[in-house]
């Protein structure tokens, strides 16, 4: 992309972010850090996922993917709870709308397309080239677990609880938990949570590997995750994005295929200016200054 085109694309992304969202709050809390926060912002509804949320999450992720000043993303929530899952019975619920109709085949296809659309909305978190770090507090239920599972790194406060609730609602979890959780916490743990609908504490989530660290309070969680995200954002963006891409690719293929993929990746990326700068900085005993995206 030419310099002028890149600048206009960045300006367009920033302008769209400034227009705001109905269900999210997207901001750069610390001007000195190239970190953006995406906050679920329906506290009165315990951040339940409405049709508008399913439309806005992929939009926000796509904008931050394009924005050079966003080198890491923190996904958090406003109010006392992280997410109560999918909003039930609200106006415009895609599952309710899609299941209506005289023709059962048409209704089934409409429902299938609605589910695929909601799946794609949460997969957008995973597909964002920038690392997305979940900061969870309070209750994280159903679709909230799907969101967390799509993030790259997960942290929580001591009051956090997690539950895969769908089996108690007489449905099969279909937004990613059954596909992603076994890779994060192992098949046995994922099966137990999904089949029993059991609520687990922050400590249990840490023991299972669902979260990396438990902070004592939401304030400590916010400060700790901001520090971690800033540290990641200060590294070479090409190395960070490449590491995420290779990790995701390697998750779904054999070890041999993953090694082949990273060899091909590094055949191009080992020629980057950032690598030269990292070596110079190491030899000169100073902090490296990496190139902008």
């Amino acid at each position: 992309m030419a310099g002028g085109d890149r600048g206009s694309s960045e300006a367009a992304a920033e302008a769209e972010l400034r227009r705001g969202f109905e269900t999210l709050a997207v901001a750069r809390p610390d001007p000195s850090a190239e970190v953006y926060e995406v906050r679920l912002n329906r506290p009165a509804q315990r951040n339940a996922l409405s049709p508008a949320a399913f439309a806005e999450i992929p939009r926000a992720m796509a904008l931050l993917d394009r924005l050079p000043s966003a080198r890491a993303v923190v996904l958090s929530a406003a109010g006392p709870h992280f997410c109560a899952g999918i909003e039930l019975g609200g106006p415009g619920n895609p599952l309710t709308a899609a299941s209506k109709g005289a023709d059962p085949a048409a209704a089934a296809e409409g429902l299938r397309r609605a589910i695929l659309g909601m799946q794609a909305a949460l997969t957008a978190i995973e597909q964002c080239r920038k690392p997305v770090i979940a900061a969870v507090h309070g209750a994280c239920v159903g679709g909230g677990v799907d969101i967390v599972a799509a993030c790259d790194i997960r942290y929580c406060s001591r009051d956090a609880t997690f539950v895969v609730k769908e089996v108690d609602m007489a449905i099969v979890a279909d937004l990613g938990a059954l596909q992603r959780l076994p890779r994060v916490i192992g098949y046995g743990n994922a099966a137990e949570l999904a089949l029993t609908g059991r609520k687990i504490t922050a400590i249990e989530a840490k023991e299972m590997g669902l979260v990396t660290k438990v902070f004592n309070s939401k304030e400590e969680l916010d400060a700790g995750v901001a520090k971690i995200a800033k540290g990641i954002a200060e590294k070479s963006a090409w190395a960070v994005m490449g590491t995420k891409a290779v990790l995701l690719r390697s998750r779904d293929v054999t070890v041999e295929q993953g090694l082949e993929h990273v060899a091909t990746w590094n055949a191009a990326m080992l020629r980057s200016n950032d690598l030269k700068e990292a070596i110079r900085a190491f030899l000169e005993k100073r902090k490296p200054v990496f190139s902008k995206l």
Side-chain angles (χ1 to χ4, degrees):
M1 182 183 292
D5 292 339
R6 186 183 298 113
S8 62
S9 176
E10 180 178 358
E14 289 177 339
E16 191 166 347
L17 284 176
R18 284 196 296 271
R19 280 198 289 272
F21 299 83
E22 177 185 333
T23 67
L24 306 174
V26 181
R28 184 178 177 179
D30 181 359
S32 70
E34 293 183 304
V35 176
Y36 277 74
E37 181 182 25
V38 176
R39 190 184 314 122
L40 304 179
N41 197 33
R42 302 180 74 217
Q45 294 79 28
R46 293 174 39 144
N47 297 309
L49 299 172
S50 65
F54 281 109
E56 291 184 338
I57 289 171
R59 177 178 153 229
M61 291 298 159
L63 290 171
L64 294 173
D65 183 272
R66 288 163 46 195
L67 198 61
S69 59
R71 296 171 80 123
V73 179
V74 173
L75 203 161
S76 65
H81 298 289
F82 183 78
C83 179
I86 297 177
E87 186 172 65
L88 300 176
N93 186 306
L95 298 183
T96 303
S99 62
K100 294 179 179 177
D103 186 340
E109 176 59 13
L111 190 55
R112 175 179 174 274
R113 291 176 65 85
I115 293 170
L116 288 173
M118 292 189 292
Q119 289 174 348
L122 302 193
T123 296
I125 298 169
E126 187 175 85
Q127 291 177 336
C128 178
R129 293 177 302 157
K130 319 300 175 59
V132 182
I133 305 169
V136 181
H137 72 285
C140 181
V141 179
V145 177
D146 294 307
I147 288 176
V148 167
C151 294
D152 301 296
I153 313 174
R154 292 158 289 275
Y155 300 97
C156 73
S157 56
R158 192 167 294 275
D159 70 332
T161 58
F162 301 83
V163 57
V164 182
K165 189 70 174 172
E166 285 83 350
V167 71
D168 288 336
M169 304 302 294
I171 61 173
V172 177
D174 57 8
L175 298 187
L178 300 187
Q179 291 69 38
R180 294 186 175 99
L181 280 183
R183 293 176 165 94
V184 176
I185 62 176
Y187 177 87
N189 285 328
E192 195 245 353
L193 294 184
L195 291 171
T196 65
R198 181 173 73 86
K199 182 189 297 184
I200 61 170
T201 65
I203 299 304
E204 287 180 283
K206 171 68 168 62
E207 291 171 349
M208 287 183 181
L210 180 57
V211 298
T212 302
K213 182 176 180 179
V214 177
F215 291 86
N216 286 325
S217 66
K218 186 177 187 304
E219 292 72 26
E220 290 187 19
L221 171 70
D222 292 341
V225 171
K227 182 178 179 180
I228 291 164
K230 184 176 181 180
I232 292 173
E234 290 174 346
K235 301 181 187 301
S236 164
W238 301 116
V240 168
M241 292 189 300
T243 297
K244 173 172 178 172
V246 170
L247 278 169
L248 289 173
R249 174 66 175 168
S250 299
R251 180 192 66 183
D252 299 325
V253 299
T254 65
V255 171
E256 183 180 1
Q257 290 168 325
L259 289 170
E260 175 69 22
H261 179 69
V262 73
T264 303
W265 184 283
N266 269 352
M269 299 311 293
L270 285 177
R271 296 179 290 177
S272 74
N273 291 332
D274 280 358
L275 175 58
K276 298 172 187 175
E277 167 62 12
I279 293 171
R280 280 196 301 266
F282 176 78
L283 294 174
E284 296 169 7
K285 296 181 173 54
R286 61 173 174 81
K287 187 175 180 179
V289 180
F290 293 118
S291 57
K292 299 290 184 181
L293 284 175

